[in-house]
Amino acid sequence: MGSIYQSIELLSKEKGIETQIVLDAVKDALLMAAKKHYRTNENYIAELNEKTGSIDLFAVKKVVEAVENPAVEMTLQEARRVDPAAEMESEVRIPKSTDLLGRISAQTAKQVIFQKVREAERETIYQEYSGRVGELVNCTVKRIEGSDLVLDLGAQPLANALLAKSELGAPEPRYPLELCRCVACEPAL
């Protein structure tokens, strides 16, 4: 089985968005799932492990002399058990298992990833078409909604346009999958 990073690269290429955006979405999803699973006030970070290609989860605690909040602080003695190089006022990363997160946490993570990827796709489409206002754009009639046409701009799966009946030039009928050319207007998110 390939690493999660290979899957992230594949997804980013498929969706036409930067790999870092998808990686950040996966990290955010993992953090959210960990907070939900562990039910503590610990500070978590997720990092890409370059050697294995996996994403590792850590609880981050500050090394202090007297612990007031055990969720985010630890003594020097406790810290040295985890990291022998720990010093006072430094931060110690405690590895957390991601294998225990479970089905519900995985479902939550999946939703977060999908949402972030969708937002990135919309932003990419907006950036692409915001600079093309007034240009002729080749498109395909995707479907007809009432008297309006929904057009597929072809660049990405979400790149659709709505052409109102009042904006149609010729009174001839249009059919799904028919090719046409339109003038691009200001895109909306």
Side-chain angles (χ1 to χ4, degrees):
M1 185 177 149
S3 71
I4 192 165
Y5 189 72
Q6 289 172 329
S7 301
I8 290 170
E9 283 182 323
L10 185 66
L11 178 64
S12 65
K13 284 178 186 170
E14 181 182 307
K15 299 291 185 176
I17 55 180
E18 293 179 36
T19 304
Q20 189 60 43
I21 293 172
V22 179
L23 181 62
D24 290 342
V26 172
K27 286 179 182 179
D28 290 347
L30 184 62
L31 293 174
M32 189 174 289
K35 286 178 183 177
K36 198 174 215 179
H37 175 77
Y38 289 114
R39 293 189 176 116
T40 65
N41 292 329
E42 291 179 314
N43 296 325
Y44 295 104
I45 60 167
E47 284 187 347
L48 176 68
N49 185 330
E50 300 283 337
K51 293 176 185 170
T52 63
S54 64
I55 296 179
D56 297 329
L57 179 67
F58 300 96
V60 180
K61 293 190 179 191
K62 188 172 184 173
V63 180
V64 293
E65 202 167 304
V67 175
E68 293 176 16
N69 183 355
V72 293
E73 298 174 334
M74 65 187 339
T75 64
L76 183 59
Q77 184 181 3
E78 293 170 329
R80 290 225 166 118
R81 281 188 227 136
V82 177
D83 180 9
E87 297 292 327
M88 288 299 281
E89 299 301 317
S90 66
E91 288 187 340
V92 175
R93 295 179 178 194
I94 304 162
K96 292 284 191 174
S97 175
T98 55
D99 297 338
L100 305 172
L101 294 181
R103 183 183 60 80
I104 294 172
S105 296
Q107 197 65 20
T108 302
K110 179 180 167 185
Q111 291 302 319
V112 170
I113 293 167
F114 281 159
Q115 179 183 355
K116 300 260 184 185
V117 168
R118 241 181 269 121
E119 287 171 7
E121 279 183 298
R122 283 190 192 112
E123 183 62 32
T124 301
I125 292 167
Y126 180 81
Q127 293 299 324
E128 181 179 340
Y129 286 98
S130 63
R132 297 180 65 185
V133 174
E135 283 184 27
L136 271 178
V137 179
N138 293 324
C139 48
T140 307
V141 177
K142 192 171 189 176
R143 65 181 179 276
I144 300 168
E145 290 183 356
S147 58
D148 300 334
L149 301 177
V150 176
L151 305 172
D152 180 4
L153 300 175
Q156 295 195 10
L158 293 177
N160 293 328
L162 182 66
L163 184 62
K165 180 182 180 182
S166 61
E167 295 174 353
L168 285 171
E172 62 193 54
R174 299 282 183 183
Y175 301 100
L177 303 177
E178 183 179 350
L179 299 175
C180 59
R181 296 180 83 184
C182 299
V183 176
C185 299
E186 184 66 34
L189 282 174

